[in-house]
Short mmCIF file of all heavy atoms in Angstrom, two decimals:
data_model
loop_
_atom_site.label_atom_id
_atom_site.label_comp_id
_atom_site.label_asym_id
_atom_site.label_seq_id
_atom_site.Cartn_x
_atom_site.Cartn_y
_atom_site.Cartn_z
N ASP A 261 21.56 -7.01 5.18
CA ASP A 261 20.21 -7.19 4.62
C ASP A 261 19.16 -6.92 5.70
O ASP A 261 18.12 -6.32 5.43
CB ASP A 261 20.06 -8.62 4.12
CG ASP A 261 20.84 -8.86 2.84
OD1 ASP A 261 21.20 -7.88 2.16
OD2 ASP A 261 21.07 -10.05 2.51
N ILE A 262 19.43 -7.37 6.92
CA ILE A 262 18.50 -7.15 8.03
C ILE A 262 18.32 -5.66 8.29
O ILE A 262 17.20 -5.16 8.50
CB ILE A 262 18.98 -7.87 9.29
CG1 ILE A 262 18.87 -9.39 9.12
CG2 ILE A 262 18.12 -7.46 10.52
CD1 ILE A 262 19.54 -10.17 10.25
N VAL A 263 19.43 -4.94 8.28
CA VAL A 263 19.39 -3.47 8.50
C VAL A 263 18.52 -2.82 7.47
O VAL A 263 17.65 -2.00 7.77
CB VAL A 263 20.83 -2.91 8.47
CG1 VAL A 263 20.77 -1.36 8.47
CG2 VAL A 263 21.61 -3.40 9.70
N GLU A 264 18.71 -3.18 6.20
CA GLU A 264 17.88 -2.57 5.15
C GLU A 264 16.43 -2.92 5.23
O GLU A 264 15.54 -2.13 5.01
CB GLU A 264 18.44 -3.00 3.78
CG GLU A 264 19.76 -2.36 3.40
CD GLU A 264 19.70 -0.82 3.52
OE1 GLU A 264 18.78 -0.23 2.94
OE2 GLU A 264 20.56 -0.27 4.22
N MET A 265 16.16 -4.18 5.69
CA MET A 265 14.76 -4.62 5.87
C MET A 265 14.09 -3.80 6.95
O MET A 265 12.94 -3.38 6.80
CB MET A 265 14.74 -6.11 6.23
CG MET A 265 13.33 -6.66 6.41
SD MET A 265 13.35 -8.41 6.86
CE MET A 265 14.12 -8.34 8.49
N VAL A 266 14.78 -3.57 8.07
CA VAL A 266 14.19 -2.79 9.15
C VAL A 266 13.95 -1.37 8.72
O VAL A 266 12.87 -0.77 9.00
CB VAL A 266 15.11 -2.84 10.41
CG1 VAL A 266 14.65 -1.81 11.46
CG2 VAL A 266 15.13 -4.22 11.00
N ARG A 267 14.88 -0.77 8.00
CA ARG A 267 14.68 0.57 7.52
C ARG A 267 13.51 0.65 6.57
O ARG A 267 12.74 1.61 6.54
CB ARG A 267 15.96 1.10 6.83
CG ARG A 267 17.10 1.36 7.80
CD ARG A 267 18.35 1.68 7.09
NE ARG A 267 19.47 2.01 8.01
CZ ARG A 267 20.74 2.10 7.67
NH1 ARG A 267 21.10 1.90 6.42
NH2 ARG A 267 21.67 2.37 8.58
N HIS A 268 13.38 -0.38 5.69
CA HIS A 268 12.28 -0.42 4.74
C HIS A 268 10.94 -0.53 5.51
O HIS A 268 9.95 0.15 5.16
CB HIS A 268 12.45 -1.61 3.81
CG HIS A 268 11.40 -1.71 2.76
ND1 HIS A 268 11.26 -0.82 1.70
CD2 HIS A 268 10.37 -2.62 2.60
CE1 HIS A 268 10.24 -1.15 0.97
NE2 HIS A 268 9.67 -2.24 1.49
N ARG A 269 10.89 -1.36 6.54
CA ARG A 269 9.66 -1.54 7.30
C ARG A 269 9.27 -0.23 7.99
O ARG A 269 8.08 0.02 8.25
CB ARG A 269 9.86 -2.65 8.31
CG ARG A 269 9.77 -4.05 7.71
CD ARG A 269 10.27 -5.10 8.66
NE ARG A 269 9.65 -5.00 10.00
CZ ARG A 269 10.11 -5.64 11.06
NH1 ARG A 269 11.22 -6.35 11.00
NH2 ARG A 269 9.50 -5.50 12.24
N ALA A 270 10.26 0.54 8.33
CA ALA A 270 9.95 1.83 9.01
C ALA A 270 9.19 2.78 8.07
O ALA A 270 8.58 3.76 8.56
CB ALA A 270 11.25 2.50 9.46
N ASP A 271 9.20 2.48 6.78
CA ASP A 271 8.47 3.34 5.81
C ASP A 271 7.11 2.76 5.45
O ASP A 271 6.43 3.33 4.55
CB ASP A 271 9.34 3.51 4.54
CG ASP A 271 10.60 4.32 4.81
OD1 ASP A 271 10.53 5.22 5.70
OD2 ASP A 271 11.62 4.06 4.20
N ASP A 272 6.72 1.63 6.09
CA ASP A 272 5.37 1.10 5.85
C ASP A 272 4.33 2.18 6.16
O ASP A 272 4.50 2.96 7.09
CB ASP A 272 5.09 -0.11 6.73
CG ASP A 272 5.85 -1.35 6.29
OD1 ASP A 272 6.47 -1.31 5.21
OD2 ASP A 272 5.86 -2.36 7.03
N ALA A 273 3.23 2.14 5.42
CA ALA A 273 2.19 3.16 5.61
C ALA A 273 1.63 3.20 7.02
O ALA A 273 1.49 4.27 7.61
CB ALA A 273 1.06 2.91 4.60
N PHE A 274 1.34 2.01 7.57
CA PHE A 274 0.74 2.02 8.93
C PHE A 274 1.72 2.47 9.95
O PHE A 274 1.35 3.11 10.97
CB PHE A 274 0.14 0.64 9.23
CG PHE A 274 1.10 -0.33 9.89
CD1 PHE A 274 1.19 -0.38 11.28
CD2 PHE A 274 1.87 -1.19 9.14
CE1 PHE A 274 2.07 -1.27 11.90
CE2 PHE A 274 2.73 -2.08 9.73
CZ PHE A 274 2.82 -2.14 11.12
N ARG A 275 3.05 2.18 9.79
CA ARG A 275 4.04 2.66 10.74
C ARG A 275 4.18 4.17 10.60
O ARG A 275 4.37 4.86 11.60
CB ARG A 275 5.36 1.94 10.55
CG ARG A 275 5.35 0.52 11.11
CD ARG A 275 6.75 -0.03 11.25
NE ARG A 275 6.70 -1.35 11.91
CZ ARG A 275 6.46 -2.49 11.31
NH1 ARG A 275 6.30 -2.50 9.98
NH2 ARG A 275 6.40 -3.62 11.98
N GLN A 276 4.15 4.69 9.40
CA GLN A 276 4.25 6.14 9.20
C GLN A 276 3.09 6.83 9.94
O GLN A 276 3.27 7.85 10.56
CB GLN A 276 4.24 6.46 7.72
CG GLN A 276 5.50 6.12 6.98
CD GLN A 276 6.67 6.96 7.45
OE1 GLN A 276 6.62 8.21 7.44
NE2 GLN A 276 7.75 6.32 7.88
N ALA A 277 1.89 6.21 9.81
CA ALA A 277 0.73 6.79 10.52
C ALA A 277 0.94 6.72 12.03
O ALA A 277 0.60 7.67 12.74
CB ALA A 277 -0.54 6.05 10.08
N ASP A 278 1.45 5.59 12.48
CA ASP A 278 1.70 5.40 13.93
C ASP A 278 2.75 6.39 14.40
O ASP A 278 2.63 7.00 15.50
CB ASP A 278 2.12 3.97 14.18
CG ASP A 278 2.31 3.68 15.69
OD1 ASP A 278 1.42 4.03 16.48
OD2 ASP A 278 3.38 3.12 16.01
N PHE A 279 3.83 6.57 13.63
CA PHE A 279 4.87 7.49 14.01
C PHE A 279 4.31 8.94 14.13
O PHE A 279 4.62 9.67 15.08
CB PHE A 279 6.02 7.52 12.98
CG PHE A 279 6.79 6.22 12.87
CD1 PHE A 279 7.55 5.94 11.77
CD2 PHE A 279 6.73 5.29 13.90
CE1 PHE A 279 8.27 4.79 11.64
CE2 PHE A 279 7.46 4.10 13.79
CZ PHE A 279 8.23 3.85 12.64
N ARG A 280 3.50 9.29 13.16
CA ARG A 280 2.93 10.66 13.16
C ARG A 280 2.00 10.86 14.35
O ARG A 280 2.04 11.94 14.98
CB ARG A 280 2.16 10.88 11.84
CG ARG A 280 1.58 12.31 11.70
CD ARG A 280 1.07 12.55 10.26
NE ARG A 280 2.17 12.60 9.35
CZ ARG A 280 2.85 13.71 9.02
NH1 ARG A 280 2.51 14.86 9.59
NH2 ARG A 280 3.84 13.69 8.16
N ASP A 281 1.23 9.85 14.68
CA ASP A 281 0.35 9.92 15.82
C ASP A 281 1.15 10.08 17.15
O ASP A 281 0.83 10.93 17.96
CB ASP A 281 -0.55 8.67 15.89
CG ASP A 281 -1.57 8.77 17.00
OD1 ASP A 281 -2.30 9.78 17.09
OD2 ASP A 281 -1.64 7.85 17.87
N GLU A 282 2.23 9.32 17.27
CA GLU A 282 3.07 9.40 18.46
C GLU A 282 3.76 10.76 18.53
O GLU A 282 3.85 11.37 19.60
CB GLU A 282 4.12 8.28 18.45
CG GLU A 282 5.04 8.31 19.68
CD GLU A 282 6.09 7.24 19.66
OE1 GLU A 282 5.90 6.21 18.92
OE2 GLU A 282 7.09 7.37 20.40
N ALA A 283 4.23 11.26 17.38
CA ALA A 283 4.91 12.54 17.36
C ALA A 283 3.95 13.66 17.78
O ALA A 283 4.30 14.55 18.55
CB ALA A 283 5.47 12.82 15.97
N ARG A 284 2.70 13.63 17.28
CA ARG A 284 1.76 14.64 17.63
C ARG A 284 1.38 14.58 19.11
O ARG A 284 1.23 15.66 19.74
CB ARG A 284 0.54 14.51 16.75
CG ARG A 284 0.79 14.82 15.26
CD ARG A 284 -0.47 14.76 14.44
NE ARG A 284 -1.32 15.86 14.81
CZ ARG A 284 -2.54 16.04 14.24
NH1 ARG A 284 -3.00 15.19 13.33
NH2 ARG A 284 -3.28 17.08 14.58
N ARG A 285 1.29 13.39 19.65
CA ARG A 285 0.97 13.27 21.10
C ARG A 285 2.09 13.85 21.94
O ARG A 285 1.85 14.53 22.94
CB ARG A 285 0.75 11.79 21.50
CG ARG A 285 -0.57 11.19 21.01
CD ARG A 285 -0.89 9.91 21.78
NE ARG A 285 0.21 8.98 21.87
CZ ARG A 285 0.44 8.03 20.96
NH1 ARG A 285 -0.37 7.91 19.92
NH2 ARG A 285 1.45 7.21 21.11
N THR A 286 3.31 13.57 21.51
CA THR A 286 4.48 14.12 22.24
C THR A 286 4.50 15.64 22.19
O THR A 286 4.70 16.30 23.24
CB THR A 286 5.81 13.57 21.64
OG1 THR A 286 5.79 12.13 21.73
CG2 THR A 286 7.01 14.13 22.37
N LEU A 287 4.27 16.22 21.03
CA LEU A 287 4.26 17.67 20.92
C LEU A 287 3.12 18.30 21.69
O LEU A 287 3.28 19.33 22.31
CB LEU A 287 4.17 18.04 19.39
CG LEU A 287 5.39 17.72 18.59
CD1 LEU A 287 5.10 17.94 17.10
CD2 LEU A 287 6.59 18.57 19.01
N ARG A 288 1.97 17.62 21.67
CA ARG A 288 0.84 18.10 22.40
C ARG A 288 1.12 18.15 23.90
O ARG A 288 0.80 19.09 24.62
CB ARG A 288 -0.42 17.24 22.14
CG ARG A 288 -1.74 17.81 22.64
CD ARG A 288 -2.88 16.87 22.24
NE ARG A 288 -2.82 16.51 20.85
CZ ARG A 288 -2.90 15.26 20.40
NH1 ARG A 288 -2.99 14.24 21.24
NH2 ARG A 288 -2.85 15.03 19.09
N GLY A 289 1.81 17.07 24.39
CA GLY A 289 2.15 17.03 25.79
C GLY A 289 3.12 18.10 26.20
O GLY A 289 3.16 18.51 27.36
N LYS A 290 3.97 18.56 25.26
CA LYS A 290 4.91 19.62 25.56
C LYS A 290 4.40 21.00 25.25
O LYS A 290 5.09 21.99 25.44
CB LYS A 290 6.21 19.34 24.78
CG LYS A 290 6.94 18.08 25.18
CD LYS A 290 8.34 17.98 24.61
CE LYS A 290 8.29 17.82 23.08
NZ LYS A 290 9.68 17.59 22.57
N GLY A 291 3.16 21.06 24.72
CA GLY A 291 2.57 22.36 24.39
C GLY A 291 3.19 23.00 23.17
O GLY A 291 3.17 24.22 23.05
N GLU A 292 3.72 22.18 22.27
CA GLU A 292 4.35 22.69 21.08
C GLU A 292 3.43 22.48 19.87
O GLU A 292 2.54 21.62 19.90
CB GLU A 292 5.70 22.01 20.84
CG GLU A 292 6.72 22.27 21.95
CD GLU A 292 8.05 21.62 21.67
OE1 GLU A 292 8.25 21.16 20.54
OE2 GLU A 292 8.89 21.60 22.61
N PRO A 293 3.61 23.23 18.80
CA PRO A 293 2.75 23.10 17.63
C PRO A 293 2.85 21.71 16.98
O PRO A 293 3.95 21.14 16.91
CB PRO A 293 3.25 24.19 16.68
CG PRO A 293 4.60 24.55 17.13
CD PRO A 293 4.61 24.31 18.61
N GLU A 294 1.71 21.19 16.55
CA GLU A 294 1.66 19.83 15.96
C GLU A 294 1.73 19.90 14.45
O GLU A 294 1.06 19.15 13.73
CB GLU A 294 0.40 19.14 16.40
CG GLU A 294 0.28 18.99 17.93
CD GLU A 294 -1.08 18.43 18.32
OE1 GLU A 294 -1.61 17.55 17.61
OE2 GLU A 294 -1.61 18.85 19.36
N ARG A 295 2.56 20.76 13.93
CA ARG A 295 2.63 20.96 12.50
C ARG A 295 4.00 21.55 12.12
O ARG A 295 4.81 21.88 13.06
CB ARG A 295 1.51 21.88 12.02
CG ARG A 295 1.59 23.27 12.61
CD ARG A 295 0.36 24.12 12.25
NE ARG A 295 0.49 25.46 12.85
CZ ARG A 295 0.19 25.73 14.12
NH1 ARG A 295 -0.24 24.80 14.92
NH2 ARG A 295 0.33 27.00 14.54
N GLY A 296 4.25 21.68 10.85
CA GLY A 296 5.42 22.37 10.37
C GLY A 296 6.73 21.68 10.78
O GLY A 296 6.80 20.45 10.93
N SER A 297 7.79 22.45 10.97
CA SER A 297 9.10 21.90 11.28
C SER A 297 9.16 21.14 12.58
O SER A 297 9.86 20.15 12.74
CB SER A 297 10.17 23.02 11.28
OG SER A 297 9.87 23.98 12.26
N ALA A 298 8.37 21.61 13.58
CA ALA A 298 8.34 20.93 14.87
C ALA A 298 7.83 19.51 14.71
O ALA A 298 8.41 18.55 15.27
CB ALA A 298 7.48 21.69 15.86
N LEU A 299 6.79 19.33 13.92
CA LEU A 299 6.24 17.99 13.67
C LEU A 299 7.22 17.12 12.88
O LEU A 299 7.43 15.97 13.19
CB LEU A 299 4.89 18.10 12.94
CG LEU A 299 4.26 16.76 12.56
CD1 LEU A 299 3.97 15.92 13.78
CD2 LEU A 299 2.96 17.01 11.76
N GLU A 300 7.84 17.72 11.85
CA GLU A 300 8.77 16.94 11.04
C GLU A 300 9.98 16.48 11.85
O GLU A 300 10.47 15.34 11.72
CB GLU A 300 9.24 17.78 9.83
CG GLU A 300 8.13 18.07 8.82
CD GLU A 300 7.44 16.80 8.38
OE1 GLU A 300 8.14 15.81 8.01
OE2 GLU A 300 6.19 16.77 8.35
N GLN A 301 10.48 17.36 12.71
CA GLN A 301 11.65 16.97 13.57
C GLN A 301 11.28 15.88 14.56
O GLN A 301 12.01 14.92 14.77
CB GLN A 301 12.18 18.20 14.28
CG GLN A 301 12.82 19.23 13.37
CD GLN A 301 13.20 20.50 14.08
OE1 GLN A 301 13.17 20.61 15.31
NE2 GLN A 301 13.57 21.52 13.30
N GLU A 302 10.10 16.03 15.15
CA GLU A 302 9.67 14.98 16.11
C GLU A 302 9.39 13.68 15.42
O GLU A 302 9.69 12.60 15.94
CB GLU A 302 8.42 15.47 16.89
CG GLU A 302 8.01 14.54 18.00
CD GLU A 302 9.07 14.35 19.07
OE1 GLU A 302 9.84 15.32 19.33
OE2 GLU A 302 9.14 13.24 19.65
N LEU A 303 8.82 13.77 14.25
CA LEU A 303 8.56 12.56 13.44
C LEU A 303 9.83 11.84 13.10
O LEU A 303 9.91 10.61 13.18
CB LEU A 303 7.81 12.97 12.14
CG LEU A 303 7.35 11.82 11.21
CD1 LEU A 303 6.37 10.92 11.94
CD2 LEU A 303 6.70 12.42 9.97
N ALA A 304 10.87 12.59 12.74
CA ALA A 304 12.18 11.99 12.45
C ALA A 304 12.76 11.30 13.67
O ALA A 304 13.34 10.21 13.61
CB ALA A 304 13.15 13.04 11.93
N ARG A 305 12.57 11.92 14.89
CA ARG A 305 13.07 11.34 16.11
C ARG A 305 12.32 10.04 16.43
O ARG A 305 12.95 9.04 16.83
CB ARG A 305 12.96 12.31 17.27
CG ARG A 305 14.02 13.39 17.34
CD ARG A 305 14.01 14.13 18.64
NE ARG A 305 12.88 15.05 18.71
CZ ARG A 305 12.92 16.29 18.33
NH1 ARG A 305 14.03 16.80 17.84
NH2 ARG A 305 11.85 17.08 18.43
N VAL A 306 11.04 10.00 16.24
CA VAL A 306 10.23 8.80 16.49
C VAL A 306 10.66 7.69 15.55
O VAL A 306 10.85 6.52 16.01
CB VAL A 306 8.73 9.11 16.35
CG1 VAL A 306 7.92 7.81 16.42
CG2 VAL A 306 8.27 10.09 17.43
N ARG A 307 10.84 7.99 14.30
CA ARG A 307 11.25 6.97 13.32
C ARG A 307 12.65 6.45 13.69
O ARG A 307 12.88 5.24 13.63
CB ARG A 307 11.28 7.55 11.91
CG ARG A 307 11.68 6.59 10.83
CD ARG A 307 11.69 7.26 9.46
NE ARG A 307 11.93 6.32 8.41
CZ ARG A 307 13.17 6.02 7.98
NH1 ARG A 307 14.23 6.57 8.55
NH2 ARG A 307 13.34 5.13 6.98
N ARG A 308 13.57 7.34 14.06
CA ARG A 308 14.91 6.92 14.42
C ARG A 308 14.89 6.01 15.64
O ARG A 308 15.59 4.97 15.70
CB ARG A 308 15.79 8.13 14.65
CG ARG A 308 17.25 7.79 14.92
CD ARG A 308 18.13 8.98 14.90
NE ARG A 308 17.78 9.95 15.94
CZ ARG A 308 17.22 11.14 15.76
NH1 ARG A 308 16.90 11.53 14.52
NH2 ARG A 308 16.96 11.96 16.77
N ARG A 309 14.08 6.37 16.66
CA ARG A 309 13.99 5.52 17.84
C ARG A 309 13.50 4.14 17.51
O ARG A 309 13.97 3.15 18.04
CB ARG A 309 13.11 6.17 18.91
CG ARG A 309 13.72 7.37 19.62
CD ARG A 309 12.98 7.68 20.92
NE ARG A 309 11.59 8.02 20.66
CZ ARG A 309 11.16 9.28 20.49
NH1 ARG A 309 12.04 10.29 20.50
NH2 ARG A 309 9.88 9.53 20.29
N TYR A 310 12.51 4.07 16.61
CA TYR A 310 11.95 2.75 16.22
C TYR A 310 13.04 1.93 15.56
O TYR A 310 13.24 0.74 15.92
CB TYR A 310 10.79 2.98 15.24
CG TYR A 310 10.39 1.70 14.52
CD1 TYR A 310 9.54 0.78 15.13
CD2 TYR A 310 10.87 1.42 13.26
CE1 TYR A 310 9.19 -0.41 14.51
CE2 TYR A 310 10.51 0.25 12.58
CZ TYR A 310 9.68 -0.65 13.21
OH TYR A 310 9.34 -1.80 12.58
N ILE A 311 13.77 2.53 14.61
CA ILE A 311 14.80 1.77 13.90
C ILE A 311 15.90 1.32 14.84
O ILE A 311 16.35 0.14 14.78
CB ILE A 311 15.39 2.65 12.76
CG1 ILE A 311 14.33 2.84 11.66
CG2 ILE A 311 16.64 2.00 12.17
CD1 ILE A 311 14.79 3.82 10.55
N GLU A 312 16.34 2.21 15.75
CA GLU A 312 17.40 1.84 16.66
C GLU A 312 16.96 0.71 17.61
O GLU A 312 17.73 -0.22 17.87
CB GLU A 312 17.84 3.08 17.46
CG GLU A 312 18.56 4.09 16.65
CD GLU A 312 18.95 5.32 17.42
OE1 GLU A 312 18.45 5.46 18.58
OE2 GLU A 312 19.76 6.15 16.92
N ALA A 313 15.75 0.78 18.08
CA ALA A 313 15.22 -0.28 18.97
C ALA A 313 15.12 -1.62 18.27
O ALA A 313 15.50 -2.68 18.78
CB ALA A 313 13.89 0.10 19.56
N GLU A 314 14.59 -1.59 17.01
CA GLU A 314 14.50 -2.81 16.23
C GLU A 314 15.85 -3.42 15.96
O GLU A 314 16.06 -4.64 16.07
CB GLU A 314 13.78 -2.54 14.92
CG GLU A 314 12.29 -2.25 15.07
CD GLU A 314 11.51 -3.50 15.48
OE1 GLU A 314 11.61 -4.53 14.78
OE2 GLU A 314 10.83 -3.43 16.54
N LEU A 315 16.82 -2.58 15.57
CA LEU A 315 18.15 -3.06 15.22
C LEU A 315 18.89 -3.55 16.47
O LEU A 315 19.71 -4.49 16.39
CB LEU A 315 18.93 -2.00 14.48
CG LEU A 315 18.45 -1.70 13.07
CD1 LEU A 315 19.28 -0.58 12.44
CD2 LEU A 315 18.52 -2.94 12.21
N ALA A 316 18.65 -2.93 17.62
CA ALA A 316 19.29 -3.41 18.85
C ALA A 316 18.74 -4.82 19.15
O ALA A 316 19.51 -5.70 19.57
CB ALA A 316 19.00 -2.45 19.98
N GLY A 317 17.45 -5.01 18.96
CA GLY A 317 16.84 -6.30 19.23
C GLY A 317 17.33 -7.43 18.31
O GLY A 317 17.70 -8.51 18.78
N VAL A 318 17.35 -7.15 17.00
CA VAL A 318 17.76 -8.22 16.06
C VAL A 318 19.27 -8.50 16.20
O VAL A 318 19.68 -9.65 16.00
CB VAL A 318 17.39 -7.85 14.61
CG1 VAL A 318 15.90 -7.81 14.45
CG2 VAL A 318 18.01 -6.58 14.14
N GLY A 319 20.08 -7.46 16.52
CA GLY A 319 21.50 -7.71 16.75
C GLY A 319 21.74 -8.59 17.93
O GLY A 319 22.52 -9.55 17.86
N ALA A 320 21.02 -8.33 19.05
CA ALA A 320 21.17 -9.17 20.23
C ALA A 320 20.70 -10.58 19.97
O ALA A 320 21.29 -11.56 20.44
CB ALA A 320 20.38 -8.55 21.39
#
Side-chain angles (χ1 to χ4, degrees):
D261 288 341
I262 292 171
V263 170
E264 287 307 308
M265 180 181 67
V266 170
R267 289 174 178 167
H268 181 71
R269 284 166 51 195
D271 293 327
D272 287 351
F274 90 90
R275 284 196 174 85
Q276 287 294 304
D278 183 49
F279 295 162
R280 183 170 291 272
D281 185 52
E282 181 180 340
R284 293 184 67 181
R285 288 198 311 270
T286 300
L287 291 171
R288 192 178 310 131
K290 295 191 294 185
E292 297 182 11
E294 301 173 37
R295 61 187 181 279
S297 61
L299 177 59
E300 293 306 312
Q301 290 173 12
E302 186 60 33
L303 185 60
R305 281 192 286 269
V306 171
R307 181 179 184 273
R308 185 170 63 250
R309 285 198 299 268
Y310 166 82
I311 291 174
E312 290 178 349
E314 288 291 304
L315 290 178
V318 295

